Amino acid sequence: MFTKHPGGLRLLTVHAHPDDESSKGAATLARYAAEGVDVLVATCTGGERGSVLNPAMDRPEVRDDLARIRRREMEAAREILGVRQQFLGFIDSGMPGPGEPLPEGCFAAQPVEVAAVPLVALIRKFRPHVVITYDETGGYPHPDHVMTHRVTVAAFEAAADPDRHQEAGEPWQAAKLYYHLALSRSWFQTMYDAMTARGVPSAMGELLADWPDTPPALATTTRIACSEYFALRDAAMLAHATQVEAGVAFMAHPRDIERQVWPTEDYHLARSFVGGPAPGAVETDLFAGLRGAEGRK
Ligand SMILES: [Zn+2]
């Protein structure tokens, strides 16, 4: 499977559920794929415990067959973005209510060290230069998102260690680890302000009013210009038909306004073996410091 660009740049993004790759960083993936980077999405779970969030799709035959339908949706989104995708085979943890235990055997109930093994094997096989995942809050308080962060950090380290998981392939040190800053409060605020300034009603006001108390956002170190790929991002998101309804608050904004006021997807550089922007500076390429080094391994 991993022979398409043996000498080129490789980008691995690790997500919790099918649809997360389309709602966070999808235009970045589409842009790098179009530029010839080998882009692989690793999806930790099958999204088996997701709800059907689109009323038009909320039918018994859909609910009963959700795992299979979500695989099909993932395949359609993958095709639209022009990337590759692999499931890591864990079971969705669902969103337990307050005080409710995690379902037995689910992804978030696994020991991190054990759950990291399939990703260690994938990193050693695919040999990404850059890895992207969520920050330690998960970006969204779902146990699978927090677990995805933990597992990715563990696998990023373990994959490079020749003494660990020797059965999982030759060691590989990815050069950089990034965290998503997608769907941030400042993004919603900027979109809301721009819409109201132009007299466009915005449902984002409600989201902002209910915004939970969250720790201050990580510094933006990296902005990827990708507005040309917003249409592909939107199409990929809508391919997850059980998970999204056209017109939900985070999609219900005029794209021309978005292209004007926030034409990038943003990241925080969490680890780097090839340097990074000076404090306060912002880089514009996930592969900064790696260009021209494609053929090195
Ligand atoms: Zn998710």
Side-chain angles (χ1 to χ4, degrees):
M1 165 184 185
F2 299 115
T3 52
K4 203 166 91 185
H5 303 287
L9 291 168
R10 293 178 294 275
L11 171 61
L12 171 67
T13 181
V14 188
H15 282 288
H17 309 109
D19 80 358
D20 288 317
E21 82 297 329
S22 294
S23 59
K24 292 165 276 292
T28 303
L29 303 186
R31 176 187 149 174
Y32 279 111
E35 292 177 355
V37 172
D38 196 359
V39 178
L40 175 63
V41 174
T43 312
C44 293
T45 79
E48 299 85 354
R49 285 199 174 88
S51 322
V52 177
L53 300 175
N54 180 355
M57 295 287 290
D58 196 6
R59 304 186 298 267
E61 69 274 19
V62 172
R63 285 196 297 269
D64 291 347
D65 203 13
L66 193 59
R68 202 177 59 83
I69 290 170
R70 292 197 72 177
R71 287 186 94 87
R72 219 164 53 205
E73 293 174 346
M74 181 66 243
E75 177 56 20
R78 184 204 64 70
E79 181 87 39
I80 290 164
L81 296 175
V83 301
R84 299 197 266 166
Q85 187 268 347
Q86 189 162 320
F87 284 101
L88 294 179
F90 293 98
I91 304 294
D92 192 336
S93 309
M95 190 70 158
E100 240 181 90
L102 289 166
E104 204 177 322
C106 72
F107 179 47
Q110 311 289 323
V112 171
E113 182 71 9
V114 174
V117 175
L119 188 55
V120 169
L122 187 68
I123 288 174
R124 288 179 176 176
K125 196 168 177 191
F126 181 61
R127 305 193 303 160
H129 301 95
V130 170
V131 177
I132 310 175
T133 194
Y134 317 127
D135 68 25
E136 63 185 26
T137 69
Y140 166 63
H142 188 297
D144 288 333
H145 285 234
V146 175
M147 186 66 172
T148 296
H149 163 81
R150 291 183 185 148
V151 160
T152 305
V153 171
F156 182 89
E157 289 170 0
D161 186 342
D163 295 329
R164 292 167 73 187
H165 309 297
Q166 285 167 350
E167 72 297 345
E170 292 294 313
W172 177 257
Q173 177 66 69
K176 298 204 249 184
L177 177 66
Y178 285 96
Y179 297 156
H180 288 282
L181 298 176
L183 303 176
S184 63
R185 184 182 179 124
S186 56
W187 181 84
F188 279 105
Q189 189 71 54
T190 302
M191 293 305 307
Y192 176 78
D193 291 347
M195 288 168 74
T196 40
R198 290 162 176 79
V200 179
S202 176
M204 289 177 182
E206 275 170 53
L207 277 174
L208 284 161
D210 294 340
W211 203 269
D213 277 333
T214 44
L218 294 167
T220 300
T221 58
T222 312
R223 291 192 195 276
I224 305 302
C226 51
S227 59
E228 280 172 57
Y229 297 91
F230 284 173
L232 286 179
R233 170 202 67 185
D234 293 347
M237 192 66 235
L238 290 172
H240 292 283
T242 59
Q243 300 303 304
V244 68
E245 206 185 343
V248 290
F250 79 93
M251 293 190 77
H253 54 277
R255 296 309 191 256
D256 56 331
I257 295 180
E258 186 185 16
R259 279 192 291 270
Q260 276 169 38
V261 302
W262 204 298
T264 61
E265 288 176 341
D266 304 339
Y267 299 88
H268 174 78
L269 178 60
R271 307 266 179 103
S272 175
F273 292 91
V274 293
V282 170
E283 60 184 6
T284 57
D285 180 14
L286 296 173
F287 293 95
L290 289 160
R291 298 281 176 187
E294 292 98 295
R296 70 197 172 135
K297 252 190 180 179

